[in-house]
Amino acid sequence: LAWLLALCSFIPIMTAATRVVQIPLGALPEDSLRLAVSLPAFFLHAAAGLLFGLLGPLQFVRSLRRRYGAAHRWAGRAFVLAGAVLALSGLALLLRVESIATGLLDAARGVFGVALALALLLGVASARARDMPRHRAWMIRAYAIGMGTGPVGLVLFPLYLITGEPPTGVLTDVVVVGTWLSSIALGEWVVRRLAKPAPRPRVA
């Protein structure tokens, strides 16, 4: 199921990679210039999102975990650190940058930022307790929260190409929050699917 997680995170990963290049060059598009009032937090948010998005699917591949256990643990530490920076920088941007969204989306950003940090903490606590199934479940949930806005680009990006301006308004924010919740629900479905015991072979 790692491919499914990677597919959902493709758009935010590409967006984060673009921002990581644009911010140092001072080449931000006009619709992102307002975020320049907190440029360090914006850059950290993009860089952390890029690392978090790339490491996530690799961490969930069972064959890689078994074959490269030490690398998996070190990558896991980087994954958690990137997720923590992603959550904290996102909350910092929410507090410092003037919002052009509705209260619904701003509230969702705050809630999901806190939820991401909490899921990471629970995942780390489970790993320390040697409860690997619970650890894996919380890390999948953290990834689903952190990359939750990915699929919304499939809806809003075509509108952006047509109009030349980023979609805004109540309906747009409802779509964003709904997509975010759908990604979290998908993560929970993956968790429950992986938790199902493998069927026993029939005895002839």
Side-chain angles (χ1 to χ4, degrees):
L1 298 174
W3 66 269
L4 188 58
L5 295 170
L7 180 63
C8 292
S9 60
F10 176 76
I11 292 176
I13 287 173
M14 295 303 298
T15 302
T18 302
R19 295 291 182 262
V20 167
V21 175
Q22 288 175 334
I23 293 172
L25 295 177
L28 286 171
E30 186 176 348
D31 59 323
S32 298
L33 287 177
R34 62 188 181 85
L35 297 169
V37 301
S38 187
L39 209 55
F42 188 24
F43 181 78
L44 285 174
H45 192 67
L50 177 60
L51 183 60
F52 187 77
L54 290 174
L55 288 177
L58 296 177
Q59 289 297 97
F60 304 136
V61 178
R62 184 172 301 178
S63 59
L64 294 179
R65 291 199 308 267
R66 291 176 176 175
R67 185 174 299 180
Y68 306 103
H72 170 78
R73 288 189 291 273
W74 281 105
R77 294 184 180 99
F79 175 78
V80 171
L81 178 60
V85 173
L86 179 66
L88 295 176
S89 59
L91 293 173
L93 288 172
L94 184 62
L95 293 174
R96 296 194 59 187
V97 177
E98 183 179 358
S99 177
I100 59 172
T102 64
L104 171 66
L105 183 54
D106 287 339
R109 286 169 172 162
V111 170
F112 293 143
V114 173
L116 171 56
L118 182 59
L120 290 168
L121 285 173
L122 291 171
V124 171
S126 300
R128 289 183 177 274
R130 303 294 181 184
D131 189 345
M132 291 302 112
R134 189 180 296 273
H135 165 71
R136 180 180 61 184
W138 280 114
M139 289 306 174
I140 291 174
R141 291 178 179 124
Y143 191 78
I145 297 169
M147 297 286 106
T149 57
V152 76
L154 299 175
V155 179
L156 299 185
F157 188 65
L159 294 177
Y160 178 77
L161 292 177
I162 294 171
T163 63
E165 297 181 358
T168 58
V170 176
L171 182 58
T172 298
D173 290 356
V174 169
V175 171
V176 173
V177 175
T179 304
W180 212 333
L181 291 172
S182 298
S183 297
I184 294 172
L186 174 62
E188 192 63 30
W189 175 80
V190 172
V191 167
R192 295 179 183 276
R193 184 177 178 88
L194 292 176
K196 288 183 179 180
R200 294 181 179 180
R202 294 182 180 180
V203 178

